Amino acid sequence: MDVKPLKGIATVSIAKGEKVGAVEDIVVDTQERRVAAFKIESGGLMRKDHCYVPFGAVQSIGDDAIMIPDETVLTQSYGDRASGYLTLGKLGDIRVVTDTGTVIGHVTTVHFDPSAGQITEFEVGKGGIGGVFSSHTLIGAGNVTSIGEDIMVVPANSVGMGGTS
């Protein structure tokens, strides 16, 4: 499952049968290669509140909503290790470089197993002029050597340099 379509979907309390907010961002644990939490935005036009749903507290993820048991699973932070956790927005800033020193693009999205939270693939894009000649490559999470604050390193032999559109 691609994480991008999850932005904006409802988060629903099963106990109350109510929407508690909408997914604003996705938090990824780059060390464990898993979805760690969902950043939830709630409130009205004048006041917005932000909280997090740890992935382990999610009961299910559907096409239209993330289902949680109740509001007691909401937290004010998303993890004890600040380093190694990146939001989807920050992941988009990461350049992907092969271990031979070739930049192949930047992370455009993450694919994960919705039942376990494990990242299965990183989608890497290399833009063209206005996106017309852009290409995308899928890199298996097991093929990633390391992920830092601004660079992801992958073995050159794990990347099909032609890419897919």
Side-chain angles (χ1 to χ4, degrees), residues 3-164:
V3 296
K4 272 189 176 177
L6 297 177
K7 287 183 81 167
I9 72 168
T11 302
V12 175
S13 164
I14 294 170
K16 288 189 175 182
E18 305 183 334
K19 177 180 173 182
V20 296
V23 175
E24 181 180 354
D25 210 341
I26 293 91
V27 180
V28 174
D29 180 340
T30 59
Q31 295 173 6
E32 299 291 326
R33 312 281 199 276
R34 66 179 179 85
V35 173
F38 297 98
K39 183 177 182 183
I40 307 301
E41 180 180 79
S42 62
L45 201 52
M46 301 300 284
R47 181 173 171 243
K48 301 242 187 255
D49 293 319
H50 302 276
C51 58
Y52 297 89
V53 175
F55 185 85
V58 172
Q59 187 152 338
S60 64
I61 300 173
D63 292 336
D64 302 309
I66 291 178
M67 306 301 291
I68 60 174
D70 56 47
E71 293 181 46
T72 63
V73 301
L74 301 175
T75 64
Q76 294 302 308
S77 66
Y78 54 81
D80 298 332
R81 294 189 334 252
S83 65
Y85 282 84
L86 297 174
T87 62
L88 185 59
K90 179 65 177 158
L91 270 173
D93 295 336
I94 291 181
R95 289 183 304 156
V96 182
V97 180
T98 66
D99 56 3
T100 58
T102 302
V103 175
I104 60 170
H106 66 279
V107 175
T108 57
T109 191
V110 174
H111 299 251
F112 75 109
D113 174 352
S115 62
Q118 285 303 125
I119 294 173
T120 56
E121 299 172 312
F122 292 91
E123 187 173 313
V124 178
K126 189 165 192 170
I129 300 169
V132 175
F133 299 106
S134 64
S135 64
H136 296 274
T137 302
L138 293 175
I139 298 174
N143 290 329
V144 175
T145 304
S146 63
I147 304 173
E149 290 290 319
D150 57 356
I151 294 177
M152 176 188 294
V153 178
V154 299
N157 63 3
S158 71
V159 180
M161 295 308 279
T164 59

